[in-house]
Amino acid sequence: MIDYKELDEMVDNVWRIEDDLALIGVTKEQALKLADEYITEITELYNKHGIEKRQKAIMLEDICEMADANDPEQLKLVCAFTADYGLLFGDTSGDHKITCWLRDAPLALEMQRLVTTRREKRDIMQNIAKCTKSESSPSASHYLEVFDLLASNGYADGISDLSVLKDNLADVERIINTHTGFDKIAPFVYYQVLVRNSKKMLEKPDYQLNPESLFKYQKYSIDTDNGKNFDTYTDYLQLYIDLIDIFPEADKELCEMCYLDTSNLGSWNYDNADAEDIPMYIDDKIGIKAFFAFDEGLNEFEFFKKNDVNYDDVADYENAHPQLWKSVKKKLNAVSGKKVCNILENAEVIVKELSLENPIKSEDLLVFQGCSYQMIADYISDYLVEKVCCIISDKPGFRKESV
């Protein structure tokens, strides 16, 4: 029996392009015009900066080698190419073009804004980290709210006398009120002292916080869950989020910069936490690793246009032959110049050489070659991610350590 109510709900929940356009007050005709204007703007930019129109992967490399991210136009080019999923060079029209524009243009803009903002916040953070004494009047008092939060969420479990914690929190507030800029990062200050000095905060009367210690980098073990550490990191992250809520006057983006710059937990957050609005590095927040280096995917290689290769078989073969990646990487590292254009020009030769050098059953030849091309594409994508990250910044707060 057909459940018409359920069917109606499914129909109602189907995504429609008109709904997204209505949210921004734009008609389809206006969206197409705006998409064309965006394409023209980016085209004029790469022409202005002497970037030859070629395959997007090659152009992105050329842009990264030319670009100075302190130049807004050049940063815009890097962001536009990184965020592009087919609008700039894909064969798009009608609703498809609008869909690409709705995703690509805002993502590029957000990426540029975030890079610029993070740089500004890092400069501010570095000045605050000098721990200069302030003569300004005290900010609003919040230490009792912090105390109530800790007392209610189990932070002080097993401690019978909470007066030590309360007094030490009051002293943290005093430090916040007597150091320049600390009021803007008050949630981060409390977070750092509560995470790194919990025992002293709970048990040592008149604990004296060293403000400079707040900005020292700490590396946590984040690769393996030993049954305790991941739960601890989850508690840390929840504490940070709860503290942010207590201080509405604090600079949230500045706090994120401090959080990401003082430990490697930002790498753990994205990979393991489900919390919303968590501090993330730019390559996670924007999704740099998800960009398309090739508009046509693997069909940019003639091999996939000429041969019917099952992508699931390619993935299975790659998983079953992890040593192949080492062979592919060795070949690519030997390419003269190791530039994207050189790799693409030599891809067919490289795959043929790999086919001759590795013992392969005749029935596995196509999937082996498909897997080799897939690895070449992955190599190029990872290489371009590295290029983009180097333009943005190679410092914490901007990129994960693993990139």
Side-chain angles (χ1 to χ4, degrees):
M1 174 184 272
I2 298 175
D3 188 334
Y4 288 100
K5 182 178 179 181
E6 182 178 344
L7 186 61
D8 288 342
E9 289 177 354
M10 289 175 63
V11 172
D12 290 340
N13 290 330
V14 171
W15 175 81
R16 298 190 314 142
I17 197 170
E18 291 84 0
D19 295 335
D20 278 6
L21 292 176
L23 290 174
I24 58 175
V26 172
T27 65
K28 279 191 174 184
E29 291 74 16
Q30 291 170 327
L32 286 170
K33 183 179 179 182
L34 288 169
D36 287 336
E37 289 175 356
Y38 176 78
I39 294 169
T40 299
E41 177 189 13
I42 302 305
T43 302
E44 289 176 351
L45 273 181
Y46 67 69
N47 286 335
K48 175 182 176 180
H49 291 283
I51 303 299
E52 180 184 349
K53 185 175 181 181
R54 298 191 282 176
Q55 283 177 288
K56 185 170 71 177
I58 299 174
M59 292 179 72
L60 180 55
E61 180 184 44
D62 291 343
I63 289 169
C64 287
E65 291 183 349
M66 169 277 298
D68 175 359
N70 291 312
D71 182 311
E73 280 190 355
Q74 294 175 16
L75 177 60
K76 176 177 279 191
L77 265 181
V78 173
C79 294
F81 269 70
T82 304
D84 182 59
Y85 268 66
L87 179 62
L88 294 178
F89 303 106
D91 184 16
T92 60
S93 61
D95 285 3
H96 184 204
K97 176 179 280 190
I98 294 173
T99 301
C100 289
W101 171 74
L102 281 169
R103 181 210 172 275
D104 295 0
L107 182 61
L109 183 63
E110 170 60 11
M111 185 175 177
Q112 185 176 9
R113 184 204 68 78
L114 189 58
V115 171
T116 303
T117 301
R118 286 260 168 106
R119 286 188 169 160
E120 293 171 353
K121 299 305 180 185
R122 168 169 283 127
D123 290 341
I124 296 171
M125 182 197 73
Q126 290 174 342
N127 283 326
I128 293 175
K130 295 175 183 177
C131 299
T132 306
K133 288 291 185 72
S134 171
E135 297 180 0
S136 60
S137 57
S139 59
S141 177
H142 289 290
Y143 85 92
L144 289 177
E145 292 176 69
V146 176
F147 174 78
D148 289 340
L149 167 68
L150 299 175
S152 62
N153 73 2
Y155 179 85
D157 281 356
I159 304 297
S160 57
D161 183 5
L162 296 180
S163 61
V164 172
L165 174 61
K166 183 181 289 187
D167 291 344
N168 284 335
L169 289 172
D171 192 61
V172 172
E173 183 169 279
R174 179 190 62 77
I175 289 174
I176 290 171
N177 289 334
T178 56
H179 286 77
T180 302
F182 273 42
D183 57 322
K184 296 298 182 185
I185 59 167
F188 168 76
V189 174
Y190 277 107
Y191 168 82
Q192 286 288 77
V193 69
L194 290 168
V195 164
R196 297 188 177 184
N197 301 286
S198 58
K199 187 175 179 65
K200 292 177 180 178
M201 288 293 290
L202 289 166
E203 300 177 5
K204 186 176 181 180
D206 301 320
Y207 165 61
Q208 296 295 312
L209 169 66
N210 174 14
E212 286 84 0
S213 68
L214 297 169
F215 302 96
K216 289 184 178 179
Y217 189 85
Q218 181 165 338
K219 190 168 185 175
Y220 294 89
S221 176
I222 63 172
D223 296 325
T224 305
D225 183 2
N226 63 16
K228 182 179 179 182
N229 58 336
F230 279 23
D231 288 340
T232 299
Y233 303 154
T234 300
D235 292 340
Y236 287 173
L237 181 57
Q238 188 59 55
L239 174 62
Y240 174 86
I241 293 171
D242 289 341
L243 288 169
I244 288 289
D245 289 340
I246 290 176
F247 296 86
E249 68 276 14
D251 185 330
K252 186 175 180 180
E253 288 185 313
L254 180 57
C255 289
E256 283 193 359
M257 190 74 244
C258 294
Y259 179 101
L260 295 169
D261 243 24
T262 53
S263 82
N264 60 335
L265 286 182
S267 295
W268 182 89
N269 290 352
Y270 180 76
D271 295 330
N272 298 278
D274 294 326
E276 294 183 4
D277 207 19
I278 60 177
M280 286 192 289
Y281 300 106
I282 287 179
D283 52 330
D284 278 334
K285 194 160 190 173
I286 297 300
I288 286 177
K289 283 209 166 186
F291 84 103
F292 286 178
F294 307 106
D295 278 336
E296 295 184 58
L298 291 177
N299 280 333
E300 297 239 5
F301 296 101
E302 286 295 320
F303 171 84
F304 287 95
K305 293 179 180 178
K306 296 178 179 177
N307 297 286
D308 184 16
V309 181
N310 186 294
Y311 292 109
D312 289 336
D313 291 342
V314 169
D316 290 341
Y317 193 91
E318 180 178 355
N319 291 331
H321 299 82
Q323 76 282 358
L324 178 57
W325 170 240
K326 292 182 180 179
S327 299
V328 172
K329 193 172 182 180
K330 184 177 179 181
K331 287 285 185 183
L332 294 174
N333 286 336
V335 172
S336 177
K338 290 189 289 188
K339 291 173 66 71
V340 170
C341 59
N342 301 129
I343 292 172
L344 290 174
E345 287 172 0
N346 288 277
E348 186 175 350
V349 173
I350 290 171
V351 173
K352 285 183 178 178
E353 290 177 352
L354 287 166
S355 302
L356 294 172
E357 294 171 5
N358 290 270
I360 311 161
K361 297 177 182 178
S362 58
E363 63 266 26
D364 291 335
L365 180 60
L366 277 183
V367 72
F368 172 90
Q369 293 177 331
C371 190
S372 298
Y373 277 108
Q374 173 71 70
M375 289 180 174
I376 291 173
D378 291 343
Y379 179 96
I380 290 172
S381 294
D382 289 343
Y383 165 76
L384 289 174
V385 167
E386 183 75 14
K387 282 280 191 183
V388 170
C389 285
C390 286
I391 291 298
I392 291 172
S393 175
D394 60 358
K395 299 174 183 177
F398 289 84
R399 62 189 294 202
K400 297 172 73 172
E401 289 185 346
S402 58
V403 172

